[in-house]
Amino acid sequence: MKPETTRFAPSPTGLLHLGHAYAAIFAADTARASGGRFLVRMEDTDRVRSKVAFEAEILDDLRWLGLWWEEPVWRQSARVADYLAALERLKGLGLVYPCFCTRKDIEAEVAQAAGAPQGPDGLLYAGTCRVLGDEVRQARMDAGASFAWRLDVARAASLAGALSFEETGAGPQGEHGVIAVDGLTYGDVVLARKDGVISYHLAVVVDDADQGVTLVTRGHDLFASAHVHRLLQALLRLPVPRYRHHRLILDANGKRLAKRDDATSLKVLRAQGETPEGIRARLGVTSR
Ligand code: GLU
């Protein structure tokens, strides 16, 4: 087995629950079993929702679980210059465009377009701002209109050519092995929001490359995003990790655990006297 570098990348916008515990243990155990490195990264690009207090609790919970990681813990909030540099490269390739649409505009378009194509996160953006002329764009910018940056995925996919990624676990439909990339999966994804926040998709590929992550482990819910990530890796000429998506931990009703639902938070379970071994047993992962 070759040594793998894995990471656990929580957003410090709430407490860890059993689903996060599973993801963290999965990543740490995978790295450890291969004799590799386990990293922790705080995905705190959203400065409004991210809280330093949550970050401290997350690290405390991870230590309590018996996990250890290579220091330092990276924070995405400290890496904005690198993300902006990547965005500039994509601009230089003529692959991004400013999108002035408001949420209302997008909803109205969607309501009009019966049978509009669906993506993993809902209806796909219709591309209204993709076709604006340079003069219109400039005039709107000059008038101070706020805008997001979107990736022109059709153009990006044709520039990148045929791509694939390697799934060493399984996607939600049991997808496994070499997966052909469908770069259009999410439509023209936002890379930088109107408020300047860099999107998850862009930040994650830049970080995984800069941290030398060789095996991305995470839940099924993020399987579809690997298509966009692989496309961005090709455009930015980044090294390509392999992927291992894993099952999600569900509640008694078969629903995904949510951050707002405190009942399964590690903090509450710890206060109730649960042990790290007990957590592993609940999650069906063998103790080390
Ligand atoms: N920050 C993401 C989350 O909390 C994980 C991202 C990833 O593992 O790629 O769900």
Side-chain angles (χ1 to χ4, degrees), residues 32 34 99 130 147 165 169 200 225 229 249:
R32 215 65 78 206
S34 75
C99 174
R130 189 197 313 128
F147 58 88
F165 65 89
Y200 159 66
S225 64
H229 298 173
I249 303 301

Side-chain angles (χ1 to χ4, degrees), residues 232-266:
L232 288 169
Q233 286 151 5
L235 300 171
L236 294 166
R237 298 188 184 281
L238 300 175
V240 181
R242 290 178 305 132
Y243 290 84
R244 186 168 299 169
H245 292 89
H246 57 67
R247 67 188 166 94
L248 298 176
I249 303 301
L250 306 175
D251 66 14
N253 304 317
K255 287 215 346 236
R256 247 181 88 191
L257 303 180
K259 270 191 184 150
R260 56 186 177 281
D261 170 17
D262 271 357
T264 62
S265 76
L266 295 184

Side-chain angles (χ1 to χ4, degrees), residues 7 9-11 43 200 204 216-218 222:
R7 85 296 194 280
S11 302
E43 303 216 318
Y200 159 66
V204 88
V216 171
T217 69
R218 61 188 178 196
L222 291 167

Side-chain angles (χ1 to χ4, degrees), residues 50-232:
S50 298
K51 302 272 178 275
V52 175
F54 286 135
E55 202 177 295
E57 296 214 60
I58 288 171
L59 295 176
D60 186 58
D61 281 342
L62 294 178
R63 270 183 223 108
W64 176 80
L65 281 172
L67 306 183
W68 71 98
W69 51 90
E70 196 177 288
E71 296 284 354
V73 168
W74 279 31
R75 285 177 186 74
Q76 291 193 326
S77 54
R79 306 228 338 118
V80 176
D82 297 87
Y83 309 143
L84 290 177
L87 183 61
E88 283 307 312
R89 288 184 67 180
L90 298 171
K91 282 186 200 169
L93 293 169
L95 297 176
V96 293
Y97 61 87
C99 174
F100 303 93
C101 291
T102 60
R103 194 176 291 261
K104 262 207 181 122
D105 294 335
I106 295 174
E107 281 166 8
E109 266 163 29
V110 163
Q112 274 176 11
Q118 282 274 352
D121 287 346
L123 289 161
L124 298 186
Y125 177 60
T128 315
C129 288
R130 189 197 313 128
V131 294
L132 294 179
D134 285 346
E135 276 174 30
V136 177
R137 282 181 183 152
Q138 200 53 54
R140 290 198 189 176
M141 287 183 187
D142 292 348
S146 57
F147 58 88
W149 287 105
R150 284 187 188 268
L151 182 67
D152 181 340
V153 286
R155 204 171 184 156
S158 78
L159 181 73
L163 298 170
S164 61
F165 65 89
E166 194 184 339
E167 174 59 51
T168 65
Q173 256 85 55
E175 300 92 332
H176 182 78
V178 178
I179 312 282
V181 166
D182 173 5
L184 312 188
T185 305
Y186 281 85
D188 286 355
V189 279
V190 169
L191 297 181
R193 290 184 348 199
K194 283 187 176 182
D195 58 6
V197 171
I198 295 291
S199 80
Y200 159 66
H201 298 303
L202 185 56
V204 88
V205 295
V206 172
D207 284 350
D208 284 339
D210 287 355
Q211 290 194 285
V213 171
T214 59
L215 182 64
V216 171
T217 69
R218 61 188 178 196
H220 278 161
D221 53 330
L222 291 167
F223 176 77
S225 64
H227 290 268
V228 178
H229 298 173
R230 182 66 190 87
L231 178 60
L232 288 169

